[in-house]
Amino acid sequence: MRLLILGGTTEASVLARHIAGRSDLMPVLSLAGRTRNPVAPPIPHRMGGFGGIAGLKAYLVDAGIDAVIDATHPFAAQMSNHAAEACRVLKLPLVQFTRAPWHPAEGDRWLAVPDMEAATQALGTAPRRVLLTVGGLQLAAFVAAPQHHYVIRTIDPPETAKSLPDHRLILARGPFALNDEIALMREECIDVLVTKNSGGGATEAKLEAARTLGIEVVMVERPKAGDMPAFEELDAVMSWIEDHRPTP
Ligand code: NAP
């Protein structure tokens, strides 16, 4: 069974490690190529965009893919939409392997917003000290609010950070520990945390730190997911794969 795994996430890595070495599955892990030094995957992989829906359809046909597992990040909406459309046209089975969103707990001061522009507006007009953990791709929105001081944390150096007038850049990859997150927010006198509702344990400590310190959180909610089946557990994805083996 030939599987295309759309990756770039912990979920895709977990799945790749789980099926590596299995002789009954022929997986290809697809990475967008955004991370500068990606860890070498344990299964065959390809790198870079497909060239839109048409390019993806051509790839799926050429590679003889039997089923697609969309394990992209919950905010990688374009790739997910392209996969949904290409699989619909080619009548290929498609499943999402995703992670549960975070939910506010008692004591949280969350303000849910639909996108990065709304997050920028939610910071208000008065200058604030903002911890920005929204990834490197969507920082440009904050250029519209130059009155704030930004502490930006990303994995790779972001291009757009330079256009933010007042900022400090921290390059770091999770998981992050609660004590370190509390120390960072204290040292930087953070007033507000801006984050995407990515979910997952590796970066959750910042939310607990904000709760502990009574810091407001501007939470950018996920883009709407398509109506394909979606699982959060590896076992469920493996069962789905078994159920979608092509008939000989
Ligand atoms: P996106 O906006 O949904 O996709 C933009 C374009 O990048 C897609 O149209 C596709 O190009 C290419 N692409 C995305 N994921 C790909 C994959 N797995 N394999 C091959 N091409 C891919 O995606 P994004 O938000 O830029 O995310 C890019 C990658 O980073 C994804 O692998 C995602 O899982 C990962 N990631 C994203 C976030 C986030 O917050 N967005 C966070 C952590 C990791 P073509 O149209 O040319 O095919």
Side-chain angles (χ1 to χ4, degrees):
M1 184 181 190
R2 290 177 192 270
L3 298 173
L4 175 65
I5 303 168
L6 299 170
T9 57
T10 310
E11 288 69 29
S13 303
V14 165
L15 177 61
R17 276 199 299 278
H18 186 75
I19 61 178
R22 271 184 55 164
S23 55
D24 58 332
L25 297 174
M26 296 169 72
V28 177
L29 175 63
S30 178
L31 300 170
R34 304 271 199 278
T35 308
R36 272 168 218 182
N37 295 306
V39 180
I43 58 172
H45 70 283
R46 62 168 301 287
M47 194 88 82
F50 295 95
I53 297 170
L56 177 58
K57 274 175 19 197
Y59 175 87
L60 292 168
V61 172
D62 291 350
I65 298 296
D66 296 307
V68 178
I69 295 138
D70 175 7
T72 55
H73 191 271
F75 281 81
Q78 182 167 307
M79 187 69 248
S80 293
N81 290 338
H82 287 185
E85 181 56 15
C87 288
R88 186 189 66 78
V89 174
L90 297 175
K91 298 188 172 40
L92 280 180
L94 168 68
V95 69
Q96 277 192 334
F97 184 16
T98 188
R99 58 183 97 154
W102 295 313
H103 296 288
E106 206 181 322
D108 276 330
R109 295 173 56 212
W110 287 17
L111 181 65
V113 294
D115 53 36
M116 231 37 90
E117 284 67 31
T120 309
Q121 298 226 326
L123 293 175
T125 50
R128 298 173 90 184
R129 295 183 65 86
V130 185
L131 177 57
L132 209 47
T133 63
V134 295
L137 301 174
Q138 289 172 288
L139 292 172
F142 296 90
V143 174
Q147 68 273 33
H148 307 298
H149 173 77
Y150 296 98
V151 176
I152 303 169
R153 185 168 66 193
T154 55
I155 295 175
D156 293 313
E159 288 297 317
T160 37
K162 294 186 205 93
S163 39
L164 293 174
D166 185 14
H167 74 272
R168 178 190 161 204
L169 181 62
I170 300 173
L171 298 179
R173 184 193 291 269
F176 300 104
L178 176 60
N179 285 347
D180 294 337
E181 297 292 61
I182 290 177
L184 172 68
M185 290 181 193
R186 280 204 173 120
E187 278 159 23
E188 293 289 344
C189 302
I190 295 299
D191 301 313
V192 55
L193 164 70
V194 182
T195 182
K196 296 190 288 198
N197 197 339
S198 301
T203 56
E204 198 175 10
K206 63 189 170 190
L207 301 175
E208 206 178 331
R211 186 181 312 136
T212 306
L213 300 174
I215 289 173
E216 188 188 334
V217 177
V218 175
M219 182 65 74
V220 182
E221 292 303 344
R222 296 178 172 194
K224 211 172 161 306
D227 57 4
M228 71 281 292
F231 300 112
E232 293 164 7
E233 303 296 333
L234 177 63
D235 287 353
V237 175
M238 292 311 298
S239 300
W240 181 92
I241 291 172
E242 289 308 324
D243 292 346
H244 290 83
R245 280 190 181 278
T247 39

Coordinates of all heavy atoms in Angstrom, one line a residue, residues 6-9 30-32 34 46 48-52 72-73 75-79 82 137 196, ligand 1:
L6 N 1.5 13.8 4.5 CA 1.8 15.2 4.4 C 2.3 15.6 5.8 O 1.5 15.5 6.8 CB 0.6 16.0 4.0 CG 0.1 15.6 2.6 CD1 -1.3 16.3 2.3 CD2 1.1 16.0 1.5
G7 N 3.5 16.1 5.9 CA 4.1 16.2 7.3 C 4.5 17.6 7.7 O 3.8 18.6 7.3
G8 N 5.5 17.6 8.4 CA 6.0 18.9 9.0 C 5.5 19.0 10.4 O 5.5 20.2 11.0
T9 N 5.1 17.9 11.1 CA 4.6 18.0 12.4 C 5.1 16.8 13.3 O 5.6 15.8 12.7 CB 3.1 17.9 12.4 OG1 2.7 16.6 11.7 CG2 2.4 19.0 11.7
S30 N 6.1 13.8 3.0 CA 6.3 15.0 2.2 C 6.5 16.2 3.2 O 5.6 16.4 4.1 CB 5.1 15.3 1.3 OG 5.2 16.5 0.6
L31 N 7.5 16.9 3.0 CA 7.8 18.1 3.8 C 7.9 19.3 2.9 O 8.3 19.3 1.8 CB 9.2 17.9 4.5 CG 9.3 16.7 5.4 CD1 10.8 16.5 5.8 CD2 8.5 16.8 6.6
A32 N 7.4 20.4 3.5 CA 7.3 21.7 2.7 C 8.7 22.2 2.4 O 8.9 22.9 1.5 CB 6.4 22.7 3.4
R34 N 10.3 24.1 4.9 CA 10.5 25.4 5.6 C 11.6 25.3 6.7 O 12.2 26.3 6.9 CB 9.2 25.7 6.3 CG 8.0 25.8 5.4 CD 7.8 27.2 4.7 NE 6.4 27.3 4.3 CZ 6.0 26.8 3.1 NH1 6.9 26.2 2.3 NH2 4.7 27.0 2.8
R46 N 10.2 13.3 0.4 CA 10.3 14.3 -0.6 C 10.2 15.7 0.0 O 9.6 15.8 1.1 CB 9.3 14.1 -1.8 CG 7.9 14.3 -1.2 CD 6.8 14.4 -2.3 NE 7.1 15.5 -3.2 CZ 6.9 16.8 -2.9 NH1 6.5 17.1 -1.7 NH2 7.1 17.7 -3.8
G48 N 9.4 20.0 -0.6 CA 9.0 21.1 -1.4 C 7.6 21.0 -1.9 O 7.0 19.9 -1.9
G49 N 7.0 22.1 -2.3 CA 5.6 22.1 -2.7 C 5.4 21.2 -4.0 O 6.3 20.9 -4.7
F50 N 4.1 20.9 -4.2 CA 3.8 20.0 -5.4 C 3.4 20.9 -6.6 O 3.4 20.4 -7.7 CB 2.5 19.2 -5.0 CG 2.8 18.2 -3.9 CD1 2.4 18.5 -2.6 CD2 3.3 17.0 -4.2 CE1 2.7 17.6 -1.6 CE2 3.6 16.1 -3.1 CZ 3.2 16.4 -1.8
G51 N 3.2 22.2 -6.4 CA 2.7 23.0 -7.5 C 1.2 23.1 -7.5 O 0.6 22.8 -8.5
G52 N 0.6 23.4 -6.4 CA -0.9 23.5 -6.3 C -1.6 22.2 -6.4 O -1.0 21.1 -6.4
T72 N -0.4 17.5 8.4 CA 0.1 18.8 8.4 C -0.4 19.5 9.7 O -1.3 19.1 10.4 CB -0.3 19.6 7.2 OG1 -1.7 19.6 7.1 CG2 0.3 19.1 5.9
H73 N 0.2 20.7 10.0 CA -0.1 21.5 11.2 C -1.6 22.0 11.0 O -2.0 22.3 9.9 CB 0.9 22.6 11.2 CG 0.8 23.4 12.5 ND1 0.0 24.5 12.7 CD2 1.5 23.3 13.7 CE1 0.1 25.0 13.9 NE2 1.0 24.2 14.5
F75 N -2.7 24.7 11.3 CA -2.8 26.0 10.6 C -2.3 26.0 9.1 O -2.3 27.0 8.4 CB -2.0 27.1 11.4 CG -2.8 27.6 12.5 CD1 -2.9 26.9 13.7 CD2 -3.5 28.8 12.4 CE1 -3.6 27.4 14.8 CE2 -4.3 29.3 13.5 CZ -4.3 28.6 14.7
A76 N -1.9 24.8 8.7 CA -1.5 24.7 7.3 C -2.7 24.4 6.4 O -2.8 23.3 5.8 CB -0.4 23.5 7.1
A77 N -3.6 25.4 6.3 CA -4.9 25.2 5.7 C -4.8 25.0 4.2 O -5.6 24.2 3.6 CB -5.8 26.4 6.1
Q78 N -3.9 25.7 3.6 CA -3.8 25.6 2.1 C -3.5 24.2 1.7 O -4.1 23.6 0.8 CB -2.8 26.6 1.6 CG -2.8 26.6 0.0 CD -2.0 27.8 -0.5 OE1 -2.3 28.9 -0.2 NE2 -1.0 27.5 -1.3
M79 N -2.5 23.6 2.3 CA -2.1 22.2 2.0 C -3.2 21.3 2.2 O -3.5 20.4 1.4 CB -0.8 21.8 2.8 CG -0.2 20.5 2.3 SD 0.6 20.6 0.7 CE -0.5 19.6 -0.2
H82 N -5.8 21.6 -0.5 CA -5.3 21.1 -1.8 C -5.5 19.5 -1.7 O -5.9 18.9 -2.7 CB -3.9 21.5 -2.0 CG -3.7 22.9 -2.4 ND1 -2.5 23.4 -2.8 CD2 -4.6 23.9 -2.5 CE1 -2.6 24.7 -3.0 NE2 -3.9 25.0 -2.9
L137 N 5.9 32.7 9.9 CA 5.4 33.1 8.6 C 4.4 34.2 8.7 O 4.1 34.9 7.6 CB 4.7 31.8 8.1 CG 5.5 30.6 7.9 CD1 4.7 29.4 7.4 CD2 6.6 30.9 6.8
K196 N -1.0 30.8 18.5 CA -2.0 30.2 17.7 C -2.5 28.9 18.5 O -1.7 28.4 19.3 CB -1.4 29.7 16.4 CG -1.0 30.8 15.5 CD -0.6 30.3 14.1 CE 0.7 29.5 14.1 NZ 1.2 29.4 12.7
Ligands
NAP1 P1 0.2 26.0 3.9 O1 0.1 27.5 4.0 O2 -1.0 25.2 4.1 O3 0.8 25.6 2.5 C1 1.4 26.5 1.6 C2 2.1 25.7 0.5 O4 3.2 25.0 1.0 C3 1.2 24.5 -0.1 O5 0.3 25.0 -1.0 C4 2.2 23.6 -0.6 O6 2.8 24.1 -1.9 C5 3.4 23.7 0.4 N1 3.3 22.7 1.4 C6 2.7 22.8 2.7 N2 2.9 21.7 3.4 C7 3.5 20.8 2.5 C8 3.9 19.5 2.7 N3 3.8 18.8 3.9 N4 4.5 18.9 1.6 C9 4.7 19.6 0.5 N5 4.4 20.8 0.3 C10 3.7 21.5 1.3 O7 1.4 25.5 4.8 P2 2.3 26.3 5.9 O8 1.4 26.8 7.0 O9 3.2 27.2 5.1 O10 3.1 25.1 6.5 C11 4.2 24.6 5.8 C12 4.7 23.3 6.5 O11 5.1 23.6 7.9 C13 3.7 22.2 6.6 O12 4.4 21.0 6.4 C14 3.1 22.3 8.0 O13 2.7 21.0 8.5 C15 4.3 22.8 8.8 N6 4.0 23.6 9.9 C16 3.2 24.7 9.8 C17 2.9 25.5 10.9 C18 1.9 26.6 10.8 O14 1.7 27.2 11.9 N7 1.4 26.9 9.7 C19 3.5 25.1 12.2 C20 4.3 24.0 12.3 C21 4.6 23.3 11.1 P3 2.2 23.7 -3.3 O15 0.9 24.4 -3.4 O16 3.3 24.1 -4.2 O17 2.0 22.2 -3.2

